Amino acid sequence: MTTNYDCILQLKSASFHMLNQCEMLDVSTERNEIILLYLEMGEVQVKKADKQSTYQEGDVFWVHKTDRIYAFYHEVKLYVANVWVDYDRLKERSLPLLNKAPKSKISPLWEGLLSVSKDSFNHYCKQQTLFWSLLDLFTQEHKTQLGKMQSIIEEISNHMVEYHGKPLTVSELAMKANMTPASFSRAFKRQTGSSPKEFINSCRIKKAKELMREKKDITLKEVADLAGFQDEFYFSKLFKKKEGIAPSVYKKNHFSVINSIQRKKK
């Protein structure tokens, strides 16, 4: 039996929001509405009744009116769409699974949604068309490529845990996927929202933070080597760019908090 999806989901309104750290998103919803949220910049925490999740730049996801969305770190920019849902027809179906898509394709569609008014039937049709174009981007399935990318992503993560000091190149990963470096990089970014190099560096930064939290006497040079960076200078420069503070300050702040807690216990 064919399902007529255009009767199940329908855009009601679209908006753009900027949140400061710890500020909560305030979006009103009506009966049978759900929120489609695209995070253009920053991180947010979504608190549900039974769990809490963190979403990062480039993520797209559904939230209910009972969920609480907070800016997690620094400034947050996000697009919001209030979507009417025919829940009766979704009883045997779940909401569409949403995947990341290139920012260069997503942002113009959101801007179009915000600029089109619904003061005529033609404008209303344009807005609904843009909304469905967004859903098309977010729900595209590339099963073969998806499987390859998931395997490669898992390999990178395992590599960072088990062999974090060994160099890892995009060319090596592309060979494993039987792709050229250029086509692999494009496919990888479509799947993750980041280039392979950016993803690898994020894993290295995560590893470096773990090392600095676990070993009080470790030097920054040792951290850089163990996390797989070229040298201490490059590591410090990239860490400050990504985290907003120097690694030495991050390490010092962590152990200052630990020492303060220990003193209070005594």
Side-chain angles (χ1 to χ4, degrees), residues 78 110 121 198 207 217 245:
L78 45 84
W110 278 110
F121 182 73
E198 289 170 340
K207 182 64 179 179
D217 297 327
I245 58 174

Side-chain angles (χ1 to χ4, degrees), residues 1 6 9 28 30 41 51 56 76 80 90 104 153 159 165 170 184 206 209 214-215 217 227 236 253:
M1 179 179 177
D6 61 352
L9 302 175
S28 60
E30 298 180 1
M41 186 185 83
K51 65 177 181 178
Q56 299 178 332
V76 167
V80 173
L90 277 176
S104 59
I153 292 168
H159 181 102
V170 175
F184 170 75
K206 182 180 179 180
K209 290 165 76 172
E214 293 169 359
K215 301 180 180 182
D217 297 327
S236 297
N253 288 349

Side-chain angles (χ1 to χ4, degrees), residues 16-17 76 83 103 118 129 135 195 206 214 230 254 260:
F16 175 76
H17 300 263
V76 167
V83 181
K103 184 177 179 179
K118 291 193 291 185
T129 299
L135 284 183
S195 69
K206 182 180 179 180
E214 293 169 359
Q230 299 171 6
H254 171 72
S260 177

Side-chain angles (χ1 to χ4, degrees), residues 7-45:
C7 293
I8 291 179
L9 302 175
Q10 181 181 359
L11 177 71
K12 301 299 291 184
S13 63
S15 55
F16 175 76
H17 300 263
M18 294 183 65
L19 304 178
N20 295 317
Q21 188 174 3
C22 297
E23 187 177 354
M24 187 176 74
L25 176 66
D26 183 16
V27 178
S28 60
T29 56
E30 298 180 1
R31 183 176 177 274
N32 274 34
E33 284 187 5
I34 194 169
I35 296 173
L36 174 67
L37 193 150
Y38 168 65
L39 188 55
E40 185 179 62
M41 186 185 83
E43 291 184 6
V44 296
Q45 280 191 342

